Amino acid sequence: MQRSILILGGTAEARALAGKLAGDPRFTVELSLAGRTRAPAEQPVPVRIGGFGGAEGLAAYLNQKDVSILIDATHPYAAQISRNAAKAAEMSGVPLVALRRSPWLRQPDDRWIEVGSVADAVNELGEAPRKAFLTLGRQELLPFEAAPQHAYLVRSVDPVEPPLAVPNAVYLTARGPFGQADEVRLLQDHGIDVIVAKNSGGPASYGKIAAARDLGIEVILIRRPDLPDVPSVETVGEMLAWLDHAPAPLK
Ligand SMILES: NC(=O)c1ccc[n+]([C@@H]2O[C@H](COP(=O)([O-])OP(=O)(O)OC[C@H]3O[C@@H](n4cnc5c(N)ncnc54)[C@H](OP(=O)(O)O)[C@@H]3O)[C@@H](O)[C@H]2O)c1
């Protein structure tokens, strides 16, 4: 009997996993997106878009769709949906496994400053004007309005609208992956002296970290949020192996 998998996505790994499972006769697969990006990348399996209405809503969805395995392949900073997934799995009895990339590890020449929040990152920039490269989501940029003395280069998937209320900001819209050589050029072209980023892990956005190391540029890294303690793997390959030996009984 085919088993039904719901993947909570929004990451390159979720898409890659869906691609691997798309033709697998053992499973039917649906991918769920929050609906944050205007033109999401094309996905290899059927997609549903939008929130479920909290953990209860997700649990109801799992029951209604007779889901047999829930995979949380959301971004490591998307903590709310991961908490909801853990609760919903408990409520519904549907097995949950998370796909979580491991964080980047500090290398000897990295000049990292780790902070707990975006507001702390703004403070860390200090009083003196700097040229900061921000690679955060559109929704996370507002706190930088409190520090209008800096010049900002902002890169996001969708345009930042309305733009930040600061006098000096340049906006780039782009979707990764971003290679190290291109990132070095970008940092040099804009005279950047500090980067503010999340410790996303994975190769797609590591280019800027490697580029900052090459150029001796400081990186203010926002620490990962606490995530629920659920069974988890780090790579798509490990997830496929987990699914091969998924614990019985499954619905
Ligand atoms: N946060 C980041 O840095 C980041 C970076 C890249 C990609 N993303 C992706 O963007 C999405 C939203 O991120 P976020 O930081 O806003 O998450 P979040 O704060 O953890 O989630 C907020 C709410 O958005 C809805 N939601 C989130 N992910 C969903 C999904 N895959 N399918 C259906 N509903 C979802 C849920 O609404 P309900 O409670 O109504 O169900 C959730 O409570 C995630 O799927 C994540 O993988 C996030």
Side-chain angles (χ1 to χ4, degrees):
M1 197 179 88
Q2 274 193 325
R3 287 176 288 172
S4 147
I5 297 179
L6 177 66
I7 303 175
L8 304 173
T11 58
E13 287 83 352
R15 183 160 171 256
L17 176 66
K20 294 281 183 194
L21 294 175
D24 192 322
R26 296 173 297 167
F27 305 113
T28 59
V29 182
E30 186 181 40
L31 183 73
S32 174
L33 299 176
R36 298 278 184 274
T37 48
R38 284 186 196 168
E42 217 171 288
Q43 302 287 344
V45 297
V47 172
R48 66 159 299 286
I49 295 183
F52 297 94
E56 292 76 13
L58 177 53
Y61 188 87
L62 296 173
N63 287 329
Q64 180 203 330
K65 291 280 183 143
D66 218 3
V67 171
S68 11
I69 303 171
L70 176 61
I71 295 180
D72 174 9
T74 57
H75 194 269
Y77 285 73
Q80 187 57 51
I81 187 70
S82 292
R83 284 186 216 117
N84 292 355
K87 265 197 216 152
E90 225 176 271
M91 287 189 258
S92 62
V94 173
L96 164 67
V97 58
L99 172 51
R100 289 187 190 144
R101 345 168 163 150
S102 48
W104 300 315
L105 298 175
R106 189 194 292 263
Q107 303 299 307
D109 289 334
D110 282 329
R111 294 181 58 209
W112 288 6
I113 297 168
E114 293 185 77
V115 296
S117 67
V118 177
D120 290 346
V122 174
N123 283 337
E124 200 57 53
L125 287 176
E127 289 301 317
R130 303 182 76 177
K131 289 195 170 173
F133 179 32
L134 310 183
T135 59
L136 302 173
R138 274 185 304 165
Q139 312 85 339
E140 297 150 323
L141 293 168
L142 269 189
F144 291 93
E145 292 188 345
Q149 72 274 29
H150 306 299
Y152 296 107
L153 172 66
V154 182
R155 184 169 65 198
S156 55
V157 174
D158 286 320
V160 177
E161 279 164 7
L164 292 176
V166 296
N168 199 346
V170 172
Y171 299 91
L172 300 176
T173 51
R175 209 191 285 267
F178 302 104
Q180 180 174 348
D182 289 339
E183 297 290 62
V184 165
R185 210 167 306 122
L186 182 75
L187 295 173
Q188 287 178 324
D189 285 351
H190 291 267
I192 297 299
D193 57 51
V194 60
I195 296 175
V196 183
K198 295 176 189 161
N199 191 338
S200 296
S205 52
Y206 190 69
K208 61 177 177 276
I209 302 292
R213 186 188 311 130
D214 277 0
L215 299 173
I217 289 175
E218 207 171 79
V219 180
I220 300 175
L221 269 187
I222 296 158
R223 257 183 237 110
R224 287 187 170 198
D226 288 335
L227 295 174
D229 190 14
V230 302
S232 59
V233 298
E234 291 187 0
T235 65
V236 170
E238 285 168 20
M239 182 61 81
L240 294 172
W242 189 94
L243 289 170
D244 282 343
H245 303 101
L250 290 168
K251 286 205 262 171

